[in-house]
Amino acid sequence: MHATLLSVLNSLQQVIFEVTNCDTGEVQRIAGNSQWAFDLFPLLHQQDTIFIDDHTPFLQDFLIDAQQVWQGNRNNTLKSGFWTEVTDNQKELHLEATAIRHNDKNILLITSLAEEFKSKQNTLQSARELLLSNDRLIEQNEYLHSRLLTILKKPEQQGDILIALTKAIENAGFSVIITDSSLQTLIENSSTYSLFEQRRQALEHDEKPIDIIFNLMKSQLPEFDRIMNTKSGWDGELCWISPPSTLKWLKIALYPVKTELNEVNNWIIFTNDVTNIKHLVQKNEQLALQDMLTELPNRFSFWQKLERQTNEHKPFYLLYLDINNFRSHNEYYGHDDGDKLLIELSERITATLNNNDYLARIGGDEFAIILSDIENEHDCKKRLDKIFACTYKPFISTKGEPYSISVSVGAANYPKDANSVEELMKFVDLSAYSGKDNNNKNSIQFYSQSLQDASLHIIELEKELRDAIKYHQFELYLQPIVNLEQNSIYKAEALIRWNHPEKGLISPIQFIPEAEKSELINAIGHWVIKSACELVKQLNKHGYNIKISINLSPSQVIEENLFSFIHNCIKEYNIEPDLLEFEVTEGVLVNDYAIAEKLLSKIRAIGMSVSVDDFGTGYSSLAYLKRLPLDFVKIDQSFVKDIVVDDNDKAIVRAVIAMAHNLNLGVTAEGVETVEQLKFLKNNACNSVQGYLYSRPINFESFLKLIKEFY
């Protein structure tokens, strides 16, 4: 390598590697011998070929993203963005990586940005950038969070887990604490002791870091009780006065580690000291009170405004708004797109408000709104309609893809519901959480005492649902689906029932919505899939090859390992895949199109079929019918009910049947109860029907009898 070029690279604090194996992370140094590179990769002292591994986890993660560049057919580049590494000798490095594809060569360029970092710290722009990087701390936390979850959920001996956890967290540049379900610390890293200025051999009477954190949460978070009762995650900033009188600002992220039954096994707590950032912004009043991403007032500014508003003793409504499934959005589109969504949504909401209203961003995807001079729910709803309307227009991703969102809003009135800031915030938080709509629709929930009571009821219901799973209280009922051309039962829809030991038989409409909210729906869904496979096997033993159709909830569709679970069940019960069908709703197909398309393609690839349930009641978009891998459309019973007497329903059903057949899709009509309805459907080439005319949902033994009678 030419000496001049080498000198330039070193002065630019750059090291160049050729990537010799993308899959293993093997790279070979081409040029550059800056000291920071030897600190980051100690093996470079002895050899030029090294491996990028979990010793540098953020860089290892970037290599995965970079494969799209290196495995491409044209010259291209991809930048990692700024990140910080802490080396084995505790040096802090500020780095940026660039993946380069040039003339069939795969190049990794790593640059130290230490000087740029130092110079920018002394400017106002530095304050802005630090604030934005502070906003991204949660991104780093989520990365380590996923790594820790993988370890905690491995079926290893506890001792092995603790060793693995220690290795994973020790080099993190922020405090990491892992506790058991009762908040007793299992393990904490060195950064925890540095942050809280304690020694590992702390005296027994010293307050432990975990106690400090939770005491701060109890005293400063109105939503603390709700967070713990519902086993929710949380992230935000808290103020700690360290003895004797040092004030520190802590950015805290709290994550529950749950079993399939939604019981907490562990808590993971990340804590970052953001005091320096706070000191920087306090030099500029605007920055101190402003959210740097959206440029709205921040949480601190909002609390000041709310205090002033209550002191005026004039009625107003406080709204707490958050975006449904925002984390899933970030995981799919990326954090840059998430930021873009937050900015655009804040602009749209602002455009709907009056001059004396107030909007602030108080959390990651959470906004608070003060609607002034409103005294009753009717007027509040009229104002909310404008806010909801601004979400209906599709948002556009950075790649040009349109997508839709929905929001959940909690509302409380001053002074009717509460006359203190703390109670108002507590009540709107509870209302927003209780009002979340799992069908991805905008929802509003006003606070009431009955809401408090319902919240307690939900906690009790969740406990009963866990018992139902543990003690096998669920049962699958089957409703036959009849092929009209062959006049035979060729399929059956599986419908869950709960045999409660005290309340008797409970229909799914009474417990599935709460199962969705409590995150037990995936465990129940797994039970349904396994039970359906068992019923297929039993039907085979009786000589019947009847397909069973299973409903998938929105939460199941986005479940990461669902297809693997289905595939394993098919192998375990040794059944043919074409004897299973999965039903999804229109809302799932539209709101989670890309995820649904990936899952349904895998399902159909191994022989299972897919049906769109309740067609016509949702978005009814012809685009997804054409683009998605589907086999059947199910006409909702609301169109079948009056099909004999209502000309509009007749026209709709005829149109759906014709459209489906043109797309090579089969059609099933739900809710068929009369011979006249059946005759109309036969005359219009409907393929199959289900409904009370043939049978209600029945247990397996009764279903076997029905088959014998039918034939």
Side-chain angles (χ1 to χ4, degrees):
M1 172 74 55
H2 195 281
T4 302
L5 180 57
L6 185 61
S7 177
V8 170
L9 284 174
N10 289 337
S11 65
L12 292 175
Q13 293 292 299
Q14 293 180 332
V15 177
I16 302 176
F17 296 93
E18 181 177 356
V19 181
T20 50
N21 190 318
C22 294
D23 295 326
T24 64
E26 183 183 67
V27 299
Q28 182 175 13
R29 181 173 54 149
I30 299 175
N33 54 13
S34 297
Q35 180 57 45
W36 64 262
F38 295 103
D39 290 333
L40 185 64
F41 306 112
L43 287 178
L44 286 178
H45 285 292
Q46 291 87 34
Q47 59 196 49
D48 285 329
T49 300
I50 60 171
F51 288 88
I52 307 295
D53 55 23
D54 59 4
H55 177 73
T56 53
F58 295 107
L59 185 58
Q60 183 185 40
D61 201 45
F62 173 65
L63 259 59
I64 297 173
D65 295 332
Q67 288 190 23
Q68 62 182 311
V69 172
W70 291 328
Q71 294 176 358
N73 296 320
R74 59 189 180 87
N75 295 344
N76 204 351
T77 62
L78 177 70
K79 286 184 177 292
S80 68
F82 175 88
W83 93 94
T84 300
E85 288 281 358
V86 179
T87 66
D88 290 342
N89 55 2
Q90 298 303 303
K91 285 188 178 179
E92 191 171 270
L93 303 177
H94 307 293
L95 308 170
E96 182 179 58
T98 305
I100 303 170
R101 173 75 171 176
H102 185 73
N103 295 341
D104 297 328
K105 292 285 188 180
N106 292 334
I107 303 298
L108 176 66
L109 171 68
I110 305 179
T111 305
S112 171
L113 301 178
E115 293 305 316
E116 291 88 336
F117 181 79
K118 290 177 183 177
S119 63
K120 287 180 181 179
Q121 277 186 318
N122 299 319
T123 65
L124 180 61
Q125 182 62 23
S126 169
R128 290 182 177 274
E129 292 181 3
L130 280 172
L131 281 166
L132 287 172
S133 67
N134 178 43
D135 226 22
R136 296 293 180 85
L137 282 174
I138 191 65
E139 186 176 342
Q140 299 177 23
N141 291 350
E142 285 176 357
Y143 177 79
L144 182 55
H145 173 219
S146 64
R147 287 165 59 90
L148 295 178
L149 279 180
T150 301
I151 297 171
L152 284 165
K153 293 187 175 182
K154 282 183 179 178
E156 300 174 335
Q157 295 296 319
Q158 186 68 18
D160 295 334
I161 289 178
L162 290 177
I163 292 171
L165 289 173
T166 301
K167 183 178 179 181
I169 72 174
E170 189 54 37
N171 289 327
F174 46 84
S175 164
V176 183
I177 302 174
I178 301 173
T179 77
D180 61 17
S181 58
S182 60
L183 298 176
Q184 296 299 308
T185 300
L186 296 176
I187 189 171
E188 49 200 346
N189 64 354
S190 298
S191 295
T192 300
Y193 295 95
S194 300
L195 173 60
F196 292 98
E197 299 171 348
Q198 293 183 339
R199 303 182 309 277
R200 287 190 184 273
Q201 300 81 18
L203 299 176
E204 290 185 6
H205 62 270
D206 285 354
E207 192 175 21
K208 297 177 181 177
I210 190 65
D211 298 327
I212 294 172
I213 291 169
F214 275 90
N215 286 336
L216 292 176
M217 292 181 70
K218 289 176 187 177
S219 63
Q220 297 180 33
L221 292 183
E223 59 266 45
F224 177 76
D225 289 341
R226 192 267 300 167
I227 291 168
M228 301 310 296
N229 287 337
T230 58
K231 301 177 282 290
S232 303
W234 178 84
D235 67 89
E237 294 176 359
L238 300 174
C239 180
W240 174 48
I241 299 179
S242 170
S245 58
T246 304
L247 186 146
K248 285 189 177 183
W249 281 94
L250 307 179
K251 187 173 182 66
I252 296 173
L254 175 75
Y255 302 98
V257 181
K258 301 178 185 179
T259 66
E260 194 178 50
L261 297 182
N262 200 36
E263 295 175 304
V264 174
N265 265 354
N266 305 93
W267 291 94
I268 301 173
I269 304 98
F270 297 152
T271 309
N272 295 270
D273 185 349
V274 293
T275 307
N276 290 338
I277 297 172
K278 286 292 185 181
H279 287 167
L280 279 171
V281 299
Q282 284 169 2
K283 295 178 182 178
N284 184 301
E285 184 176 357
Q286 181 185 2
L287 291 180
L289 299 176
Q290 187 182 65
D291 171 58
M292 296 312 303
L293 178 66
T294 62
E295 298 186 354
L296 291 173
N298 60 17
R299 186 183 184 98
F300 179 68
S301 178
F302 170 75
W303 275 74
Q304 288 184 341
K305 172 65 176 177
L306 196 55
E307 289 276 7
R308 292 195 300 269
Q309 195 83 9
T310 54
N311 289 337
E312 292 178 4
H313 305 296
K314 294 180 181 179
F316 65 89
Y317 266 89
L318 175 62
L319 308 182
Y320 184 105
L321 177 151
D322 71 358
I323 303 170
N324 295 327
N325 301 318
F326 183 70
R327 178 166 292 184
S328 298
H329 175 95
N330 270 359
E331 289 173 354
Y332 180 72
Y333 289 102
H335 286 270
D336 287 342
D337 255 311
D339 289 349
K340 182 175 180 290
L341 168 59
L342 292 169
I343 294 169
E344 185 171 348
L345 179 61
S346 68
E347 292 171 348
R348 291 190 188 185
I349 294 174
T350 299
T352 71
L353 300 179
N354 294 340
N355 290 335
N356 57 347
D357 295 331
Y358 190 86
L359 171 66
R361 183 187 177 206
I362 60 172
D365 65 324
E366 298 156 355
F367 299 85
I369 305 169
I370 297 174
L371 297 179
S372 301
D373 305 322
I374 294 181
E375 299 187 24
N376 58 68
E377 286 188 11
H378 178 265
D379 290 342
C380 185
K381 285 179 179 177
K382 287 173 65 176
R383 299 285 299 280
L384 271 167
D385 286 342
K386 294 182 180 180
I387 295 174
F388 286 153
C390 83
T391 68
Y392 297 148
K393 179 184 175 182
F395 292 80
I396 307 298
S397 74
T398 53
K399 295 181 179 179
E401 299 175 3
Y403 62 89
S404 300
I405 68 162
S406 65
V407 297
S408 295
V409 178
N413 176 266
Y414 172 87
K416 180 173 69 73
D417 295 324
N419 53 26
S420 73
V421 170
E422 290 76 14
E423 282 196 322
L424 277 171
M425 286 297 293
K426 183 176 180 179
F427 291 165
V428 291
D429 173 74
L430 174 64
S431 301
Y433 179 81
S434 301
K436 274 191 175 292
D437 193 315
N438 286 296
N439 293 318
N440 288 326
K441 296 178 181 177
N442 290 328
S443 65
I444 171 65
Q445 178 67 61
F446 289 90
Y447 173 77
S448 65
Q449 182 57 48
S450 60
L451 191 66
Q452 285 270 38
D453 298 337
S455 179
L456 295 175
H457 170 72
I458 290 171
I459 294 172
E460 180 60 30
L461 179 59
E462 181 185 337
K463 178 182 177 300
E464 291 182 345
L465 281 171
R466 280 200 299 271
D467 289 343
I469 298 169
K470 288 179 182 178
Y471 303 121
H472 311 293
Q473 295 172 5
F474 291 124
E475 181 179 1
L476 274 192
Y477 275 39
L478 299 174
Q479 185 173 36
I481 300 175
V482 177
N483 183 307
L484 294 182
E485 183 178 348
Q486 300 174 357
N487 192 34
S488 63
I489 298 175
Y490 80 120
K491 191 164 38 176
E493 182 176 356
L495 298 162
I496 192 171
R497 296 293 185 267
W498 181 4
N499 291 310
H500 194 284
E502 298 174 1
K503 301 173 185 177
L505 197 66
I506 301 177
S507 73
I509 197 171
Q510 294 176 265
F511 65 87
I512 290 297
E514 300 309 329
E516 286 271 10
K517 288 183 180 180
S518 66
E519 302 178 21
L520 285 171
I521 192 64
N522 288 346
I524 293 174
H526 287 181
W527 179 89
V528 169
I529 293 168
K530 291 194 72 168
S531 299
C533 290
E534 171 65 27
L535 293 185
V536 167
K537 187 173 183 178
Q538 292 299 320
L539 285 168
N540 287 344
K541 288 182 178 179
H542 287 84
Y544 303 114
N545 286 329
I546 293 176
K547 180 179 294 192
I548 291 185
S549 186
I550 304 164
N551 292 284
L552 290 181
S553 74
S555 297
Q556 287 179 278
V557 171
I558 63 176
E559 183 186 349
E560 184 176 358
N561 298 315
L562 179 65
F563 178 75
S564 296
F565 179 83
I566 294 170
H567 201 211
N568 290 336
C569 285
I570 290 171
K571 291 180 179 178
E572 178 183 348
Y573 288 96
N574 193 27
I575 61 173
E576 293 298 323
D578 62 3
L579 292 177
L580 288 180
E581 179 173 290
F582 289 93
E583 297 186 16
V584 291
T585 61
E586 291 181 83
V588 169
L589 298 181
V590 173
N591 289 313
D592 296 303
Y593 171 82
I595 299 172
E597 194 274 337
K598 185 177 180 180
L599 172 66
L600 301 185
S601 295
K602 289 181 179 179
I603 283 174
R604 292 181 84 243
I606 63 172
M608 295 177 281
S609 57
V610 177
S611 175
V612 182
D613 195 15
D614 300 333
F615 184 77
T617 62
Y619 295 87
S620 304
S621 170
L622 302 183
Y624 74 72
L625 288 181
K626 181 177 71 173
R627 294 162 60 191
L628 282 168
L630 305 171
D631 299 285
F632 295 93
V633 168
K634 297 187 78 172
I635 301 175
D636 187 69
Q637 59 185 345
S638 62
F639 299 108
V640 175
K641 181 180 178 182
D642 298 321
I643 201 173
V644 178
V645 296
D646 191 312
D647 289 340
N648 289 330
D649 284 345
K650 289 180 181 179
I652 290 171
V653 170
R654 286 193 184 107
V656 171
I657 293 172
M659 174 193 64
H661 286 171
N662 284 333
L663 294 171
N664 295 317
L665 301 175
V667 181
T668 300
E670 299 179 294
V672 178
E673 298 182 356
T674 68
V675 173
E676 290 78 13
Q677 292 169 343
L678 179 63
K679 183 177 179 181
F680 176 88
L681 293 165
K682 280 185 176 179
N683 291 339
N684 285 278
C686 185
N687 302 102
S688 55
V689 297
Q690 71 181 100
Y692 288 1
L693 179 63
Y694 290 100
S695 174
R696 293 173 178 269
I698 51 181
N699 63 27
F700 183 70
E701 291 75 18
S702 299
F703 184 73
L704 282 177
K705 292 178 183 178
L706 179 66
I707 297 174
K708 294 174 183 176
E709 293 172 2
F710 206 90
Y711 292 103

